[in-house]
Amino acid sequence: MRESSNPIVSVPAVGAQDMLTSILRDGAQRLLTQAVEAEVAEWIETHRHSRDEQGHRQVVRNGYLPERTLVTGVGPVEVKQPRVLDRRSAGEAEPFSSKILPPYLRKTKSIEELIPWLYLKGISTGDFSEALAALVGPAAQGLSASTITRLKEVWQAEFQDWSQRSLKGKEYVYVWADGVHFNIRLEEDRQCILVLLGATADGRKELIAIADGYRESEQSWKALLLDVKARGLVIDPKLATGDGALGFWKAIGQVFPTTREQRCWVHKTANVLDKLPKRLQPEAKQKLHQIWMAQTRAEADKACDLFLATYQAKYPKATECLAKDRSVLLTFYDFPAEHWIHLRTTNPIESTFATVRLRHRRTKGNGSRTACLTMVFKLLQSASKKWRLLNGSQLLPDVIAGVQFINGLKPQTAAA
């Protein structure tokens, strides 16, 4: 029998894990001490020519600064930093400041980032002590829940700066719009957050704007669109995708009049099925799927006609819901087929907000509208790091140039 070449990895016991952590911490302490010692030695060496009249060096070591504890990913590490004495005159003396160990550093960057990550992923402030003790050890200092209060203030300031940033020179070929509702613990009304996402000329998805709107009204959307235009976004997007119930469509027609409409098929499907008996919904959903997954507009029209003929007699509200937006549900056929997967739905927003909704369920919502808006901003910022380029990004210059694709193909390709 052949022996397996895969190594067998066993999980160390708790005592072994504690010993390993201790070894890692001791190693980190030695490496950090050596690095700081070398940094101080180099600083002193660069000033070796600074001497007094007796030939004595002016920049020398002078013992150690008081020991301090640095919280790291392997637990607390005690550090002693050499003190540097500069005996030159006040105008010539340079205070030494370690780049490795800044004067007020108490936590490594990984730990600083751990706190907002835990909060954004659903750990409530009341559970912070337990969560942090499990991650970095009970001896960790400076990681209390009160840190979140200070972070919220920083995040709010970041959101304000981001909301006022210049958009001059920006061009978004496609935009997606949606209104997302959240419960606010300290208020009776649900909060509606308006989100505008865009695709740049090189195919990157970017968050354009977030605003606290009054439901999904035309006035709220118009205020958001006028704001981004005033900040420099003056080029009309080629296509916008959104839910048919949005006041967004009236607003964008006034602010970016040349932008074409594409209604979201996910929203439309849900709205149509809601007007049919549950026993018919699986079959009807399949028929709707055949419309927007058709390879050509002619095939989509044929499938749409079939749906209308099948349900119109008994369920006119369902067929009317589909028929009234028929043309704007099929706009995507005039754009590259590679882009259809991105254009037919508001999924770029919906999928991102799954994380936001999850956090709200865990923490039972935010306490204020401002806190909710800031939370959405930070979560979307985090999610944006994983956004991928649009399929067929190389075709975006053709879209910008005004080429109208036929069933997803460029005119010469379609003719061939």
Side-chain angles (χ1 to χ4, degrees):
M1 181 182 295
R2 292 181 61 186
E3 295 184 359
S4 171
S5 60
N6 295 329
I8 298 175
V9 180
S10 59
V11 178
V14 174
Q17 290 177 348
D18 290 341
M19 182 178 295
L20 178 60
T21 301
S22 179
I23 292 171
L24 290 172
R25 188 161 53 243
D26 291 343
Q29 184 177 24
R30 286 195 299 272
L31 287 172
L32 183 58
T33 299
Q34 291 169 5
V36 175
E37 290 274 1
E39 186 183 28
V40 170
E42 182 181 359
W43 173 267
I44 292 174
E45 179 63 18
T46 58
H47 294 82
R48 66 183 184 278
H49 300 299
S50 297
R51 298 175 181 270
D52 60 16
E53 295 177 354
Q54 287 75 36
H56 300 143
R57 287 192 174 190
Q58 298 278 65
V59 181
V60 296
R61 287 186 53 158
N62 184 27
Y64 288 88
L65 294 171
E67 186 177 81
R68 56 174 156 153
T69 300
L70 181 67
V71 180
T72 74
V74 293
V77 173
E78 288 72 28
V79 183
K80 288 183 69 176
Q81 177 181 325
R83 180 187 281 113
V84 176
L85 176 62
D86 193 334
R87 294 182 289 205
R88 291 175 294 179
S89 61
E92 297 179 350
E94 303 174 64
F96 170 76
S97 180
S98 173
K99 294 180 180 178
I100 300 172
L101 199 63
Y104 301 104
L105 182 68
R106 291 293 181 270
K107 299 181 286 290
T108 61
K109 184 174 179 59
S110 61
I111 297 297
E112 289 283 6
E113 293 176 346
L114 171 65
I115 300 173
W117 185 88
L118 286 174
Y119 181 65
L120 291 172
K121 297 303 178 182
I123 301 296
S124 63
T125 52
D127 295 331
F128 254 75
S129 298
E130 183 178 351
L132 291 169
L135 287 168
V136 298
Q141 299 176 3
L143 297 176
S144 65
S146 61
T147 306
I148 290 299
T149 302
R150 296 192 296 273
L151 280 173
K152 286 180 180 178
E153 295 175 357
V154 173
W155 292 341
Q156 288 175 15
E158 287 179 3
F159 175 64
Q160 291 300 321
D161 290 341
W162 178 84
S163 297
Q164 297 170 13
R165 75 195 188 286
S166 172
L167 296 174
K168 186 176 181 180
K170 282 286 187 180
E171 179 177 8
Y172 295 101
V173 186
Y174 303 130
V175 294
W176 295 265
D178 205 356
V180 187
H181 297 263
F182 294 99
N183 291 322
I184 304 299
R185 291 198 304 269
L186 303 182
E187 297 184 20
E188 294 183 3
D189 294 335
R190 298 186 74 201
Q191 183 178 20
C192 178
I193 292 181
L194 308 180
V195 181
L196 191 66
L197 187 72
T200 62
D202 57 1
R204 290 180 297 106
K205 283 180 278 191
E206 290 183 358
L207 187 61
I208 303 174
I210 309 172
D212 186 4
Y214 176 71
R215 297 183 181 177
E216 298 177 54
S217 68
E218 174 189 349
Q219 186 57 43
S220 295
W221 275 112
K222 187 175 180 180
L224 182 150
L225 294 173
L226 286 173
D227 176 64
V228 298
K229 192 167 188 176
R231 288 190 280 121
L233 186 60
V234 295
I235 302 175
D236 291 15
K238 296 299 181 182
L239 182 73
T241 301
D243 177 12
L246 295 177
F248 171 76
W249 298 113
K250 291 183 179 179
I252 198 170
Q254 299 171 53
V255 182
F256 297 115
T258 67
T259 300
R260 299 185 64 188
E261 299 181 20
Q262 170 62 50
R263 299 299 169 89
C264 172
W265 269 101
V266 170
H267 285 90
K268 179 56 69 176
T269 298
N271 292 337
V272 172
L273 294 180
D274 189 51
K275 295 169 176 59
L276 291 169
K278 286 189 177 181
R279 62 184 175 82
L280 297 178
Q281 288 182 8
E283 180 186 355
K285 185 176 182 179
Q286 185 178 6
K287 290 184 182 300
L288 289 170
H289 190 266
Q290 290 171 354
I291 301 173
W292 59 278
M293 291 300 290
Q295 293 302 304
T296 66
R297 186 189 293 267
E299 291 176 10
D301 281 328
K302 184 178 179 180
C304 188
D305 289 338
L306 176 60
F307 184 93
L308 296 176
T310 302
Y311 300 105
Q312 192 164 14
K314 290 186 177 181
Y315 309 103
K317 289 184 178 180
T319 55
E320 181 185 350
C321 181
L322 176 64
K324 69 184 180 68
D325 291 328
R326 180 170 179 164
S327 62
V328 290
L329 282 165
L330 304 178
T331 310
F332 67 88
Y333 283 105
D334 295 336
F335 293 84
E338 292 86 345
H339 299 172
W340 290 357
I341 191 173
H342 306 292
L343 303 180
R344 290 180 294 211
T345 73
T346 55
N347 189 60
I349 294 178
E350 291 292 329
S351 59
T352 300
F353 267 90
T355 303
V356 182
R357 290 190 178 98
L358 176 61
R359 195 213 179 268
H360 267 251
R361 282 198 296 271
R362 287 178 175 175
T363 59
K364 299 180 181 179
N366 288 102
S368 70
R369 302 177 77 86
T370 301
C372 182
L373 198 60
T374 305
M375 178 63 55
V376 168
F377 166 66
K378 292 302 293 184
L379 285 170
L380 286 175
Q381 265 197 335
S382 176
S384 68
K385 298 174 183 177
K386 299 180 181 179
W387 289 345
R388 63 182 181 86
L389 289 174
L390 264 61
N391 295 345
S393 297
Q394 72 277 6
L395 295 170
L396 287 168
D398 291 324
V399 177
I400 295 171
V403 175
Q404 183 167 327
F405 288 67
I406 301 172
N407 293 320
L409 303 176
K410 289 180 71 171
Q412 63 269 30
T413 308

